[in-house]
Amino acid sequence: MKITSAEFIISAVGPQQYPKDRLPEIALVGRSNVGKSSLINKMLSRKAIARTSSRPGKTQTLNYFKVNNQMYFVDFPGYGYAKVSKSIKSTWGSMIDTYLSKREELKFVVQLVDIRHAPSKDDVSMYEYCKELGIPTIVVATKGDKISRGRWLQHLKVIRQTLNFQSTDALIVFSTEMGQGRDELWGEILRRLKGKQESPEESAHILEGNE
């Protein structure tokens, strides 16, 4: 995927601030420090379009990034950070629920999990909620460079089992350090936006993170 333009548009806190141009939207969700900002920067071929932070829970809005004037990446607040106040968590919950359940432009969710660990209760809750709403999901196992390639399938199996992973979704290994998964993720994003169906062989290729 060649990125010809990528720009930050708005930090939105409610529907009144969402873009009005009806472009398809892809929501990126995950725990704090799972690597969402780094993934966005890698996917958009920009060094710092999304700000990485050493302070988890900093993102408290839906951050819109317009890509090639064709779609939006919508960066969600990181969930599961204990030090964020209950009032902020409540606000996030309402904002996220409204967006996921009512935003017509939302096409699917990209959910990030850390490949090194079994998905957390928050990860499972988010995945289950997307399934309840009927939202297609691409699960991205980040930090693939932190474990050996030979252990990927073992860890992916744990992720599938813990999430009760649905076969209609996709699971991709990603590493910003290695560049692993960028082309696979873009391929899956574009395929889903175009409404194409992959063959069983292509599906296995995506699920196993093969090159």
Side-chain angles (χ1 to χ4, degrees), residues 86-144:
K86 289 183 179 180
S87 62
I88 291 176
K89 282 186 178 180
S90 177
T91 300
W92 288 359
S94 176
M95 175 177 63
I96 289 170
D97 178 71
T98 298
Y99 179 87
L100 289 176
S101 61
K102 297 182 179 180
R103 184 64 170 165
E104 293 182 359
E105 286 81 0
L106 173 65
K107 300 306 178 184
F108 51 88
V109 164
V110 175
Q111 181 176 5
L112 280 64
V113 299
D114 189 327
I115 195 172
R116 298 172 296 178
H117 312 294
S120 68
K121 290 181 179 179
D122 290 323
D123 291 326
V124 173
S125 294
M126 175 59 75
Y127 186 78
E128 289 179 345
Y129 187 48
C130 288
K131 298 307 96 180
E132 289 174 8
L133 294 174
I135 302 173
T137 307
I138 303 172
V139 177
V140 175
T142 63
K143 306 188 181 183

Side-chain angles (χ1 to χ4, degrees), residues 31 42 50 61 82 91 95 116 136 146 151 161 164 184 196:
R31 285 177 58 84
K42 191 70 174 181
T61 55
T91 300
M95 175 177 63
R116 298 172 296 178
K146 302 299 184 182
R151 296 170 58 198
Q161 291 176 336
N164 193 21
E184 289 87 350
K196 293 182 178 180

Side-chain angles (χ1 to χ4, degrees), residues 17 24 32 47 66 83 112 118 130 133 151 174 189 197:
Q17 293 181 311
S32 298
K47 290 185 177 181
K66 183 183 282 190
K83 292 185 180 180
L112 280 64
C130 288
L133 294 174
R151 296 170 58 198
F174 199 93
I189 287 172
Q197 297 295 322

Side-chain angles (χ1 to χ4, degrees), residues 114-116 143-148 151-152 175 177-178:
D114 189 327
I115 195 172
R116 298 172 296 178
K143 306 188 181 183
D145 55 290
K146 302 299 184 182
I147 62 174
S148 66
R151 296 170 58 198
W152 283 0
S175 167
E177 297 297 325
M178 299 163 53

Side-chain angles (χ1 to χ4, degrees), residues 3 9 13 39 44 49 52 56 61 68 70 80 85-86 92 105-106 111 120 161 169-170 190 204:
I3 304 300
I9 299 299
V13 296
L39 180 140
L44 302 187
I49 190 169
T52 58
T61 55
N68 286 2
Q70 296 176 346
S85 71
K86 289 183 179 180
W92 288 359
E105 286 81 0
L106 173 65
Q111 181 176 5
S120 68
Q161 291 176 336
D169 291 333
L190 296 176

